[in-house]
Amino acid sequence: HAVADHGTHGAESVDYPDYARKVVADVAAGAVPFGVLVCGSGIGMAITANRHAGIRATVVHNTTEARLTRQHNDANIACFGARTMGIETVLDSLRVFLETPFEGGRHAPRVAKIEG
């Protein structure tokens, strides 16, 4: 996959909303089909991202959640917790997230209601 890396590139503390907004802008504009956000728990990133129209960000903990959030919710940003997950689980979950299509069907009207 081609990657647009919006940082951070160091160990110093940063304000994660600043980084979330950069990824959200790319996804919302259609410049990239999916985004990946990482913070301590993934929760702050998901909260920040979901404040923007057209964004369906979710915290993912495993491959089942990765599959279901794509199939049923057409999620377009996966959020991971650096303090709560191991790298192998993150990579497996991200692979499933990126490979799983949205099912549409009965889920499409529900996603439309989210977009309100």
Side-chain angles (χ1 to χ4, degrees):
H1 298 277
V3 175
D5 183 350
H6 292 301
T8 177
H9 300 107
E12 67 279 351
S13 180
V14 299
D15 293 332
Y16 62 83
D18 298 337
Y19 294 90
R21 287 188 181 103
K22 294 176 185 182
V23 173
V24 164
D26 279 356
V27 174
V32 296
F34 299 109
V36 178
L37 295 170
V38 179
C39 67
S41 67
I43 296 167
M45 287 293 205
I47 290 170
T48 302
N50 280 321
R51 296 186 51 80
H52 301 273
I55 298 300
R56 290 171 306 283
T58 183
V59 180
V60 176
H61 299 101
N62 55 56
T63 57
T64 299
E65 290 176 0
R67 179 177 50 81
L68 290 174
T69 197
R70 286 288 307 128
Q71 288 176 333
H72 296 186
N73 307 113
D74 198 19
N76 51 16
I77 297 181
C79 302
F80 297 101
R83 295 182 189 144
T84 61
M85 299 180 67
I87 189 66
E88 292 303 321
T89 302
V90 169
L91 293 174
D92 287 344
S93 298
L94 179 58
R95 178 186 48 77
V96 170
F97 184 89
L98 295 173
E99 292 176 354
T100 302
F102 176 51
E103 284 184 353
R106 67 187 172 98
H107 304 292
R110 296 172 184 156
V111 171
K113 286 182 179 184
I114 293 170
E115 294 303 316

